[in-house]
Structure formats: C-alpha cells, structure tokens
Amino acid sequence: MSAAATNVAVIGAGISGAVCASLLAARGVAVTLFDSGRGAGGRMAQRREVMDDGTELRFDHGAPYFTVSSDEVARVVSGWEARGLVAEWKAMFACFDREAGKFRDFDKEGTTKKYVGVPGMNSICKSLCLEDGVVARFGVTVGKMDWLQNGSSWSLTSLDGKDLGNFDYVVATDKNVASHKFSGLTGRPPPLDLSVFPNLSTMFQDIPVRPCFALMLAFSEPLAMVPVQGFSFYNSDSLSWAFCDSSKPGRVCLPPNSQSWVLRSTAEYASKG
Ligand SMILES: Cc1cc2nc3c(=O)[nH]c(=O)nc-3n(C[C@H](O)[C@H](O)[C@H](O)COP(=O)(O)OP(=O)(O)OC[C@H]3O[C@@H](n4cnc5c(N)ncnc54)[C@H](O)[C@@H]3O)c2cc1C
C-alpha cells in the first residue's frame, strides 16, 4: 500500500482487521473499520450470559487462547501484555482418553506459552478498535464494493443500501466478501463482483472452513474429577477440546469457586449437524 493511501476501509473487526487497522492508523492512515457484528472480536469472541439470579457468565466460545511463533508477533504481544490486554495462561493441560476414561500426557499440551485476552479473548480487538485514527462502525455489513474508475477509489455500500463512503484502498479480512457463502447468508450477491476477479474467487473457494460446535457449561463448584484446566480428547469422534475459562487470568468468577467450561466439537461432528 503506497504512502499516499490516506483513507482505507477495513472490513472485519476480528484480530486480522483490528491489527491491520491499528498498524495503518499508527502510520497516519485514516481507517474506517466495518463489522457486521455488535462489537469487535470476530472469532475471538466472548459470550456474556446473565442468569435469572443475576449471575453473569462469560465464555470465550471462539479461539480459547493463542500461541506465538515469530519474533515479530512476540514483540507485538509483549506490547499488549504491557498494556494489560493479554496475559499468559499458566495452567495444567492434558489429554483425556475417552475409551480408557483416563487423563494422560499431563502437561504435554502445555509446553508452549499460551496467551489469552484479558478479561476476554475479544479485549485485544476491542482495544485496537479504539485507537486514534481508527473509526469503528459495528452492526454494518458491507454489501457492495464498487471500483470508481474516474475517482480511483472504492465506493462501499451497506447491505441495506446505505452509502458507506469512498476509500483509496479496501482491506477485506473475510473471504465472504467474494464467496457464494455470502449469498447463502444474505440472499444477495457477494460484495465483490466475482466475475471481475475470477482467479481471486477460485483462490477463496480453496480456503477451507472447518465448522465447530461450542458447548458452554457453568458449574457452581469446581469439577473435582478434572485435574487440569484444559484437555484434548483422544478416541472421541465428537469432542476435540475442553477449556476451563474461569481459570484464565483476569476472569471474575461469581459466585466464588464456580467454574465455566467450553467444550469444542470435532469438525467432522459439526459437519453432520
Ligand atoms: C471455536 C473456535 C476455536 C478456535 N481455536 C483456535 C485456536 O485454538 N488457536 C488459533 O490460533 N485459532 C483458533 N481459532 C481460529 C481463530 O479464532 C481465527 O483464525 C481468528 O480469530 C480469525 O480472525 P480473523 O480476523 O481473520 O477473522 P474473523 O475473526 O472471522 O473476523 C472476520 C470479521 O469480518 C466480519 N465480516 C465478514 N464479512 C463482513 C462484511 N461483508 N461486512 C462487515 N463485516 C464483515 C465478521 O463479522 C467478522 O467479525 C478458533 C476459532 C473458533 C471459532
């Protein structure tokens, strides 16, 4: 992107869009971030449930944590850590053999540093969307992207036909902008005219999307029979992982000692659903 790019639209306020918007804004680019959702996070989402008795439960039902494998990302993450946006999740992990009914390989899964957003996985995106130079517009689905030859800019229109403005560049972080799946969800053609970009369209089709069910459970007392805070399932067709969200740093557990867990299905099981 050239230095002359002063006005950029970023579609998607998940981690890709939020980091992109924040980095561009730090270089003096005016960024407008659009997301269909009510807030930032995308698949690094957190769900809030208020029970009848007023108890508030929160579950990271998207990505449970992230790891870092490059020095460049490590530098960014240590900046987030210094700002209190993320913390290392120091917990015990294992594997649960469903046939044997036993936990094994204690800590094998815990050899890599795991980071979580604080107080929720979406905290990182939320904070990046508030940075100077970033204007975030939630609840707005970009429904159409038109290249204006004479103005050399992109004109964006929302799904309900509202003019969202003209931009020098557009960064789209979800393949739905050029995928037939968008039509399945909205009944409208994808925002980007696929016939103009046939190669891009083919490339997008090749990006796999693996479905997953998330089961969110809350317990008034700690689960005595589970000796770890996270485990993968072995010999299970339906379940892949379970994580104790309330054991993550920065989570408030009400009532005290209660536990919240998120179980994730295998992609194969979710595909059948
Ligand atoms: C259950 C689950 C478990 C996971 N576990 C892990 C894990 O253990 N480790 C790991 O590294 N990753 C994991 N992931 C994957 C990780 O969460 C994603 O790779 C990552 O969050 C994707 O971020 P993103 O910004 O690229 O996309 P997304 O988070 O999907 O963000 C895209 C955003 O674009 C918005 N959008 C799309 N189209 C439009 C439009 N036309 N107009 C406006 N907005 C639009 C969407 O609303 C969405 O918010 C998991 C994901 C899930 C769901």
Side-chain angles (χ1 to χ4, degrees), residues 2-67:
S2 81
T6 54
N7 186 20
V8 174
V10 176
I11 304 176
I15 193 68
S16 311
V19 169
C20 173
S22 146
L23 292 176
L24 288 174
R27 284 156 182 76
V29 176
V31 183
T32 308
L33 192 57
F34 297 100
D35 201 293
S36 315
R38 279 179 298 172
R43 277 176 282 162
M44 282 176 74
Q46 190 180 61
R47 190 178 180 108
R48 178 174 163 265
E49 289 287 335
V50 181
M51 302 289 97
D52 291 343
D53 64 358
T55 304
E56 192 180 290
L57 303 170
R58 287 172 189 259
F59 302 92
D60 295 325
H61 66 297
Y65 62 83
F66 64 91
T67 57

Side-chain angles (χ1 to χ4, degrees), residues 49 51 53-59 217-224 228-229 243-248 251-262:
E49 289 287 335
M51 302 289 97
D53 64 358
T55 304
E56 192 180 290
L57 303 170
R58 287 172 189 259
F59 302 92
L217 299 171
F219 301 92
S220 53
E221 292 172 8
L223 296 181
V228 291
Q229 287 77 47
F243 294 103
C244 179
D245 270 14
S246 46
S247 72
K248 294 176 179 176
R251 270 62 176 174
V252 179
C253 304
L254 286 174
N257 284 331
S258 62
Q259 274 192 347
S260 55
W261 283 81
V262 179

Side-chain angles (χ1 to χ4, degrees), residues 51-198:
M51 302 289 97
D52 291 343
D53 64 358
T55 304
E56 192 180 290
L57 303 170
R58 287 172 189 259
F59 302 92
D60 295 325
H61 66 297
Y65 62 83
F66 64 91
T67 57
V68 174
S69 53
S70 86
D71 291 345
E72 202 179 346
V73 175
R75 272 193 296 279
V76 175
V77 172
S78 86
W80 292 345
E81 209 171 359
R83 289 163 59 188
L85 296 178
V86 301
E88 191 188 339
W89 186 21
K90 293 177 184 161
M92 179 69 92
F93 297 89
C95 170
F96 179 71
D97 186 331
R98 200 164 162 262
E99 268 173 20
K102 281 188 183 148
F103 286 93
R104 60 176 221 206
D105 297 340
F106 284 87
D107 222 24
K108 190 178 150 208
E109 308 284 356
T111 44
T112 323
K113 268 190 179 184
K114 293 177 171 58
Y115 291 93
V116 294
V118 177
M121 284 304 286
N122 56 359
S123 308
I124 308 160
C125 299
K126 274 177 148 177
S127 174
L128 296 179
C129 289
L130 292 173
E131 288 186 351
D132 285 347
V134 179
V135 174
R137 296 189 57 189
F138 297 112
V140 179
T141 299
V142 175
K144 209 160 180 302
M145 299 162 58
D146 292 309
W147 174 245
L148 305 176
Q149 289 288 358
N150 47 359
S152 298
S153 61
W154 287 94
S155 160
L156 300 193
T157 311
S158 70
L159 199 58
D160 54 1
K162 293 200 179 80
D163 178 12
L164 299 175
N166 291 359
F167 302 90
D168 300 325
Y169 289 86
V170 177
V171 179
T173 65
D174 192 312
K175 74 168 193 164
N176 274 357
V177 295
S179 142
H180 293 294
K181 197 167 164 234
F182 185 89
S183 311
L185 293 169
T186 64
R188 306 275 286 279
L192 201 57
D193 186 348
L194 296 180
S195 61
V196 183
F197 304 97

